[in-house]
Amino acid sequence: QLNMAVEGDFDPDAINRQVEEVQAGSVKARFRALYKFTRPHTIRGTILASIAGTVRALVDTPGAIASADWGAMLPRALIGMVALLLGNAFIVGINQIFDEKIDKMNKPFLPVASGEMSKRFAWVTVLASGAIGPMIVYKFFPAVLFKLYMLGWVLGAIYSVPPIRTKRNALAAGLTIATVRGFLLNFGVYYAVKDAIGAPFNWSPKVAFIARFMTVFATVIAVTKDLPDTEGDKKYNIDTLATKVGVPKIAKGATICLLLNYISAIAQGILAAPGTFNKVPMIGGHLALASVLLARFRKLDAESIPSVKLYYKHIWDNFYLEYLLYTLI
């Protein structure tokens, strides 16, 4: 079984076998390549953000769960999820098309770089995702959500597509990912659910907290995602903090940023007015996640690519777990 980037190391023999299976016409192998093309670790983040945002909006609205028209809401929620996943596929897919040469060095297990997916089929997938997603949002959701969706669409595209290609600049790349995955996704889901149940949107402390917290977290992910990729990035003149400063310093700096983010969450839980947050998950939950992060950082060998990849996976694990806390705080 093939282990992918965020999940661990890759197996070249497994990749070769899967390329051969695709070339032999295996439908299963082609679906597996399509699944890998969507970058499953990002898909999980999108799904968790959608579920957590929905739960949070319903819990924050008195009587919403009891009085909701589930027959109308559930299909709408499913349609919204599909639009988000299509947007996700568009952004990560177009990145793989334009990063094919870099990925052959940094991420040779990705389907375009490995040859499991043809460039033509990759373009068909990206263009279909990039067209159908916006059409769904335009048809079924308020104009403000369509504008936010298209903002994320454009930012995701120019991250990879020349001549702008913001990924070549560390600051621009970080701001792009932080905006899309930190703010737009969390705000958009919450707003959509509020609109669906007919409740006015307001910046509750919990929504404001998750938007801020996840924007910082997404910024750290934007920086740490480059830690295992320094060889290819240097060859193709991709300017990242990891190539400029070095893996050990960036790993340490990213960990400090996340720890400060957790400390701010704990402080907010302690200092907030009574009833603002549920203190056990807000304080205890973030203390636990901070402790886990620190323990995993202490095991990091910054000179070992497998160790760096594993640490990056652990950062995503904490990212996922934050959405569980979001439903409880």
Side-chain angles (χ1 to χ4, degrees):
Q1 184 178 355
L2 178 66
N3 291 319
M4 294 187 299
V6 175
E7 288 75 15
D9 294 320
F10 62 91
D11 180 351
D13 292 332
I15 294 171
N16 292 332
R17 286 195 300 271
Q18 291 174 4
V19 171
E20 291 172 359
E21 289 173 6
V22 170
Q23 293 172 344
S26 168
V27 175
K28 180 180 178 181
R30 290 178 178 176
F31 272 108
R32 183 171 56 222
L34 180 61
Y35 175 69
K36 288 164 58 179
F37 185 68
T38 63
R39 303 306 302 275
H41 69 285
T42 66
I43 290 287
R44 287 193 289 271
T46 300
I47 292 173
L48 286 171
S50 301
I51 294 173
T54 299
V55 171
R56 186 74 268 159
L58 292 174
V59 171
D60 285 352
T61 307
I65 296 177
S67 62
D69 181 0
W70 295 105
M73 280 190 59
L74 289 178
R76 183 183 175 95
L78 181 61
I79 290 170
M81 179 78 77
V82 169
L84 288 174
L85 294 179
L86 287 171
N88 195 104
F90 169 75
I91 291 172
V92 300
I94 205 165
N95 177 257
Q96 290 172 69
I97 291 172
F98 284 95
D99 275 11
E100 180 183 6
K101 291 181 179 179
I102 303 173
D103 287 341
K104 285 182 183 294
M105 293 186 65
N106 290 341
K107 302 180 180 76
F109 44 80
L110 292 177
V112 175
S114 70
E116 285 179 76
M117 180 181 286
S118 70
K119 203 78 163 289
R120 180 181 178 182
F121 187 70
W123 269 115
V124 169
T125 303
V126 164
L127 293 176
S129 300
I132 296 172
M135 286 192 291
I136 289 174
V137 178
Y138 183 82
K139 173 70 175 178
F140 293 101
F141 296 93
V144 65
L145 289 181
F146 176 72
K147 293 176 182 177
L148 291 174
Y149 187 93
M150 291 310 299
L151 174 60
W153 190 100
V154 170
L155 290 174
I158 65 174
Y159 175 83
S160 300
V161 179
I164 300 176
R165 200 161 159 77
T166 57
K167 71 167 290 174
R168 289 183 298 195
N169 179 274
L171 178 61
L175 289 174
T176 298
I177 294 174
T179 300
V180 174
R181 188 160 287 282
F183 174 75
L184 292 178
L185 177 59
N186 295 295
F187 170 82
V189 169
Y190 190 88
Y191 187 100
V193 177
K194 283 285 194 174
D195 176 76
I197 60 180
F201 174 83
N202 56 69
W203 278 102
S204 74
K206 294 168 184 176
V207 179
F209 164 76
I210 201 66
R212 178 200 64 76
F213 187 92
M214 290 312 240
T215 297
V216 173
F217 212 127
T219 303
V220 172
I221 285 178
V223 173
T224 54
K225 72 178 181 58
D226 300 316
L227 292 178
D229 299 340
T230 52
E231 182 181 355
D233 288 341
K234 286 178 180 178
K235 181 175 180 179
Y236 289 96
N237 298 316
I238 301 298
D239 181 24
T240 70
L241 290 176
T243 60
K244 294 171 68 175
V245 180
V247 171
K249 290 182 179 179
I250 293 302
K252 184 177 181 179
T255 303
I256 291 172
C257 286
L258 286 181
L259 288 174
L260 290 174
N261 206 25
Y262 283 123
I263 290 170
S264 72
I266 294 167
Q268 193 170 348
I270 294 171
L271 299 175
T276 304
F277 299 103
N278 293 323
K279 290 191 179 293
V280 172
M282 186 66 177
I283 299 172
H286 286 108
L287 180 60
L289 289 182
S291 300
V292 169
L293 176 72
L294 188 58
R296 287 168 170 171
F297 173 71
R298 286 175 174 168
K299 294 180 180 179
L300 170 66
D301 176 4
E303 303 300 327
S304 165
I305 293 298
S307 180
V308 171
K309 288 182 178 180
L310 183 61
Y311 183 62
Y312 180 52
K313 173 191 177 297
H314 289 326
I315 289 176
W316 272 96
D317 290 342
N318 274 38
F319 185 81
Y320 300 146
L321 289 169
E322 184 61 34
Y323 282 116
L324 174 61
L325 281 186
Y326 180 39
T327 65
L328 301 174
I329 63 172

